[in-house]
Short mmCIF file of all heavy atoms in Angstrom, two decimals:
data_model
loop_
_atom_site.label_atom_id
_atom_site.label_comp_id
_atom_site.label_asym_id
_atom_site.label_seq_id
_atom_site.Cartn_x
_atom_site.Cartn_y
_atom_site.Cartn_z
N CYS B 10 -33.91 5.97 -1.11
CA CYS B 10 -34.13 6.85 0.04
C CYS B 10 -33.12 7.98 0.02
O CYS B 10 -33.43 9.14 0.24
CB CYS B 10 -33.98 6.08 1.36
SG CYS B 10 -35.32 4.91 1.59
N ARG B 11 -31.87 7.60 -0.28
CA ARG B 11 -30.82 8.62 -0.30
C ARG B 11 -31.09 9.62 -1.40
O ARG B 11 -30.90 10.81 -1.24
CB ARG B 11 -29.47 7.94 -0.54
CG ARG B 11 -28.85 7.40 0.72
CD ARG B 11 -27.34 7.53 0.63
NE ARG B 11 -26.81 6.71 -0.44
CZ ARG B 11 -26.40 5.47 -0.27
NH1 ARG B 11 -26.44 4.92 0.91
NH2 ARG B 11 -25.92 4.79 -1.27
N PHE B 12 -31.56 9.09 -2.53
CA PHE B 12 -31.76 9.95 -3.69
C PHE B 12 -32.81 11.02 -3.39
O PHE B 12 -32.66 12.18 -3.73
CB PHE B 12 -32.19 9.10 -4.89
CG PHE B 12 -32.37 9.91 -6.13
CD1 PHE B 12 -31.28 10.51 -6.72
CD2 PHE B 12 -33.63 10.08 -6.69
CE1 PHE B 12 -31.42 11.26 -7.86
CE2 PHE B 12 -33.78 10.84 -7.84
CZ PHE B 12 -32.67 11.43 -8.43
N PHE B 13 -33.87 10.61 -2.72
CA PHE B 13 -34.94 11.57 -2.45
C PHE B 13 -34.75 12.27 -1.11
O PHE B 13 -35.38 13.27 -0.84
CB PHE B 13 -36.28 10.85 -2.47
CG PHE B 13 -36.67 10.40 -3.84
CD1 PHE B 13 -36.73 9.05 -4.15
CD2 PHE B 13 -36.93 11.33 -4.84
CE1 PHE B 13 -37.07 8.63 -5.43
CE2 PHE B 13 -37.27 10.92 -6.12
CZ PHE B 13 -37.33 9.56 -6.42
N GLY B 14 -33.94 11.72 -0.29
CA GLY B 14 -33.88 12.23 1.09
C GLY B 14 -32.64 13.05 1.39
O GLY B 14 -32.33 14.00 0.69
N GLU B 15 -31.93 12.62 2.42
CA GLU B 15 -30.87 13.46 2.99
C GLU B 15 -29.53 13.26 2.29
O GLU B 15 -28.52 13.28 2.95
CB GLU B 15 -30.74 13.17 4.48
CG GLU B 15 -31.13 11.78 4.95
CD GLU B 15 -30.12 10.69 4.69
OE1 GLU B 15 -29.27 10.51 5.58
OE2 GLU B 15 -30.18 10.05 3.62
N SER B 16 -29.52 13.07 0.96
CA SER B 16 -28.26 12.69 0.34
C SER B 16 -27.25 13.84 0.23
O SER B 16 -26.11 13.68 0.60
CB SER B 16 -28.51 12.08 -1.02
OG SER B 16 -28.83 13.09 -1.94
N ARG B 17 -27.68 14.99 -0.23
CA ARG B 17 -26.69 16.00 -0.60
C ARG B 17 -26.14 16.76 0.60
O ARG B 17 -26.29 17.98 0.70
CB ARG B 17 -27.29 16.97 -1.62
CG ARG B 17 -27.90 16.26 -2.82
CD ARG B 17 -28.10 17.19 -3.98
NE ARG B 17 -27.69 16.57 -5.22
CZ ARG B 17 -26.50 16.74 -5.79
NH1 ARG B 17 -25.60 17.51 -5.22
NH2 ARG B 17 -26.21 16.14 -6.91
N SER B 18 -25.51 16.03 1.47
CA SER B 18 -25.02 16.67 2.68
C SER B 18 -23.61 17.25 2.51
O SER B 18 -23.16 18.02 3.34
CB SER B 18 -25.04 15.69 3.85
OG SER B 18 -24.30 14.54 3.52
N ALA B 19 -22.92 16.88 1.41
CA ALA B 19 -21.56 17.37 1.21
C ALA B 19 -21.48 18.90 1.14
O ALA B 19 -20.58 19.49 1.73
CB ALA B 19 -20.93 16.73 -0.01
N PRO B 20 -22.43 19.56 0.44
CA PRO B 20 -22.36 21.02 0.42
C PRO B 20 -22.45 21.64 1.82
O PRO B 20 -21.80 22.65 2.09
CB PRO B 20 -23.58 21.42 -0.43
CG PRO B 20 -23.83 20.23 -1.31
CD PRO B 20 -23.47 19.04 -0.46
N VAL B 21 -23.22 21.00 2.68
CA VAL B 21 -23.31 21.50 4.06
C VAL B 21 -21.95 21.33 4.75
O VAL B 21 -21.47 22.25 5.43
CB VAL B 21 -24.39 20.72 4.86
CG1 VAL B 21 -24.50 21.26 6.27
CG2 VAL B 21 -25.73 20.79 4.14
N ALA B 22 -21.33 20.17 4.55
CA ALA B 22 -20.01 19.91 5.13
C ALA B 22 -19.01 20.96 4.65
O ALA B 22 -18.21 21.49 5.43
CB ALA B 22 -19.52 18.51 4.74
N ARG B 23 -19.11 21.28 3.38
CA ARG B 23 -18.20 22.25 2.79
C ARG B 23 -18.35 23.63 3.45
O ARG B 23 -17.38 24.27 3.85
CB ARG B 23 -18.50 22.35 1.29
CG ARG B 23 -17.53 23.16 0.50
CD ARG B 23 -18.08 23.52 -0.86
NE ARG B 23 -17.42 24.73 -1.29
CZ ARG B 23 -16.31 24.73 -2.01
NH1 ARG B 23 -15.77 23.61 -2.41
NH2 ARG B 23 -15.73 25.85 -2.33
N GLU B 24 -19.61 24.05 3.58
CA GLU B 24 -19.91 25.34 4.24
C GLU B 24 -19.36 25.38 5.65
O GLU B 24 -18.70 26.34 6.06
CB GLU B 24 -21.44 25.51 4.33
CG GLU B 24 -22.12 25.91 3.06
CD GLU B 24 -21.98 27.40 2.81
OE1 GLU B 24 -22.01 28.19 3.80
OE2 GLU B 24 -21.82 27.74 1.63
N ARG B 25 -19.66 24.31 6.39
CA ARG B 25 -19.24 24.27 7.80
C ARG B 25 -17.72 24.32 7.91
O ARG B 25 -17.17 25.02 8.75
CB ARG B 25 -19.77 23.01 8.47
CG ARG B 25 -21.27 23.04 8.70
CD ARG B 25 -21.77 21.74 9.25
NE ARG B 25 -21.15 21.37 10.51
CZ ARG B 25 -20.91 20.13 10.90
NH1 ARG B 25 -21.21 19.12 10.13
NH2 ARG B 25 -20.37 19.89 12.07
N LEU B 26 -17.06 23.58 7.02
CA LEU B 26 -15.60 23.56 7.06
C LEU B 26 -15.02 24.95 6.79
O LEU B 26 -14.10 25.39 7.46
CB LEU B 26 -15.06 22.59 6.02
CG LEU B 26 -14.78 21.17 6.49
CD1 LEU B 26 -14.44 20.28 5.31
CD2 LEU B 26 -13.62 21.16 7.49
N GLN B 27 -15.58 25.61 5.77
CA GLN B 27 -15.03 26.91 5.40
C GLN B 27 -15.14 27.91 6.55
O GLN B 27 -14.20 28.64 6.84
CB GLN B 27 -15.70 27.44 4.14
CG GLN B 27 -15.01 26.90 2.90
CD GLN B 27 -15.77 27.12 1.64
OE1 GLN B 27 -16.98 27.31 1.66
NE2 GLN B 27 -15.08 27.09 0.51
N LEU B 28 -16.29 27.90 7.21
CA LEU B 28 -16.49 28.80 8.35
C LEU B 28 -15.54 28.45 9.50
O LEU B 28 -14.85 29.31 10.04
CB LEU B 28 -17.93 28.69 8.85
CG LEU B 28 -18.94 29.53 8.09
CD1 LEU B 28 -20.36 29.19 8.53
CD2 LEU B 28 -18.64 31.02 8.32
N LEU B 29 -15.52 27.16 9.82
CA LEU B 29 -14.73 26.69 10.95
C LEU B 29 -13.24 26.97 10.74
O LEU B 29 -12.56 27.48 11.63
CB LEU B 29 -14.96 25.19 11.10
CG LEU B 29 -14.13 24.49 12.17
CD1 LEU B 29 -14.59 24.93 13.54
CD2 LEU B 29 -14.26 22.99 12.01
N LEU B 30 -12.76 26.66 9.55
CA LEU B 30 -11.32 26.81 9.31
C LEU B 30 -10.91 28.27 9.28
O LEU B 30 -9.82 28.61 9.72
CB LEU B 30 -10.91 26.09 8.02
CG LEU B 30 -11.08 24.56 8.08
CD1 LEU B 30 -10.57 23.92 6.81
CD2 LEU B 30 -10.39 23.97 9.29
N ALA B 31 -11.79 29.13 8.79
CA ALA B 31 -11.48 30.56 8.81
C ALA B 31 -11.23 30.98 10.26
O ALA B 31 -10.27 31.68 10.56
CB ALA B 31 -12.63 31.35 8.21
N HIS B 32 -12.07 30.48 11.12
CA HIS B 32 -11.95 30.82 12.54
C HIS B 32 -10.68 30.21 13.14
O HIS B 32 -9.91 30.88 13.83
CB HIS B 32 -13.19 30.31 13.27
CG HIS B 32 -13.15 30.56 14.73
ND1 HIS B 32 -13.40 31.80 15.25
CD2 HIS B 32 -12.86 29.74 15.76
CE1 HIS B 32 -13.27 31.73 16.57
NE2 HIS B 32 -12.95 30.49 16.91
N GLU B 33 -10.47 28.92 12.88
CA GLU B 33 -9.32 28.24 13.49
C GLU B 33 -7.98 28.79 12.98
O GLU B 33 -7.02 28.88 13.72
CB GLU B 33 -9.39 26.73 13.23
CG GLU B 33 -10.45 26.08 14.09
CD GLU B 33 -10.49 24.56 13.97
OE1 GLU B 33 -9.89 24.00 13.04
OE2 GLU B 33 -11.14 23.94 14.82
#
Side-chain angles (χ1 to χ4, degrees):
Chain B
C10 291
R11 276 214 295 269
F12 182 66
F13 291 112
E15 28 78 89
S16 75
R17 307 198 137 263
S18 56
V21 181
R23 188 196 155 92
E24 283 280 324
R25 288 175 60 213
L26 267 172
Q27 274 168 337
L28 277 172
L29 175 70
L30 295 184
H32 178 77
E33 286 185 346

